[in-house]
């Protein structure tokens, strides 16, 4: 079911705070989907989903290939019959303050600090659509 991302209810938002492995789907250069497991955090006040990643990863290269308009991507999580998807435009950022914020949110959601990675970037997704069933 499609949900207006500006009108997400408390249960939907709580689901995005629970500890769940997620997937990120990015477009490959040939147009096919590239789906990988990731940790995702969601900031509903800013309408941003964040994924930390190594700047040399395929997912990052896929997003960068779509610049300047950003890549159309989706992040999804499933827990039994509950599922939630956030869709939007993704951009890669390497600014230390943005990466640090993504790391802080990751540690908060997943209960562990990410390992040190000097090549870390953050994929920020400007959420334009939400789907789910809970």
């Amino acid at each position: 079911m499609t949900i207006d991302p500006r009108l997400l209810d408390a249960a939907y938002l709580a689901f995005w705070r629970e500890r769940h492995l997620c997937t990120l789907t990015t477009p490959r250069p040939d147009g096919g989907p590239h789906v990988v497991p990731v940790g995702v955090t969601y900031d509903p006040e800013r309408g941003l989903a964040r994924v930390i990643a190594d700047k040399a990863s395929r997912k990052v290269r896929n997003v960068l290939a779509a610049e300047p308009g950003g890549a159309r991507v989706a992040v999804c999580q499933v827990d039994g019959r509950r599922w939630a998807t956030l869709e939007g435009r993704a951009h890669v950022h390497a600014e230390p303050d943005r990466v640090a914020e993504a790391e802080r949110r990751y540690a908060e959601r997943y209960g562990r600090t990410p390992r040190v990675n000097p090549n870390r970037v953050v994929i920020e997704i400007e959420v334009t659509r939400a789907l789910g069933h809970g």
Side-chain angles (χ1 to χ4, degrees), residues 15-28:
F15 188 42
W16 277 104
R17 287 188 299 274
E18 295 172 9
R19 188 179 193 278
H20 294 288
L21 184 62
C22 303
T23 60
L24 168 67
T25 304
T26 59
R28 288 189 191 115

Side-chain angles (χ1 to χ4, degrees), residues 3-132:
I3 309 160
D4 184 331
R6 296 164 301 184
L7 304 173
L8 299 173
D9 66 27
Y12 191 91
L13 295 174
F15 188 42
W16 277 104
R17 287 188 299 274
E18 295 172 9
R19 188 179 193 278
H20 294 288
L21 184 62
C22 303
T23 60
L24 168 67
T25 304
T26 59
R28 288 189 191 115
D30 68 3
H34 176 73
V35 184
V36 293
V38 293
V40 176
T41 62
Y42 182 51
D43 177 356
E45 290 79 29
R46 297 209 37 221
L48 283 179
R50 294 178 177 91
V51 176
I52 56 176
D54 189 283
K55 67 182 176 184
S57 68
R58 167 51 62 194
K59 60 186 163 282
V60 168
R61 292 193 321 264
N62 287 346
V63 172
L64 289 172
E67 293 294 344
R72 292 187 62 204
V73 304
V75 290
C76 183
Q77 64 183 13
V78 177
D79 181 36
R81 293 179 48 89
R82 295 186 308 158
W83 63 274
T85 299
L86 300 171
E87 297 178 1
R89 292 272 176 191
H91 299 273
V92 176
H93 298 281
E95 298 91 336
D97 59 325
R98 290 175 107 144
V99 173
E101 177 66 8
E103 291 171 332
R104 182 190 70 75
R105 289 175 179 273
Y106 178 96
E108 184 178 283
R109 181 175 189 196
Y110 291 98
R112 68 178 187 82
T113 302
R115 68 176 171 76
V116 174
N117 180 353
N119 295 317
R120 179 167 290 132
V121 295
V122 58
I123 298 170
E124 290 185 354
I125 303 159
E126 299 166 7
V127 176
T128 56
R129 186 175 182 196
L131 300 99

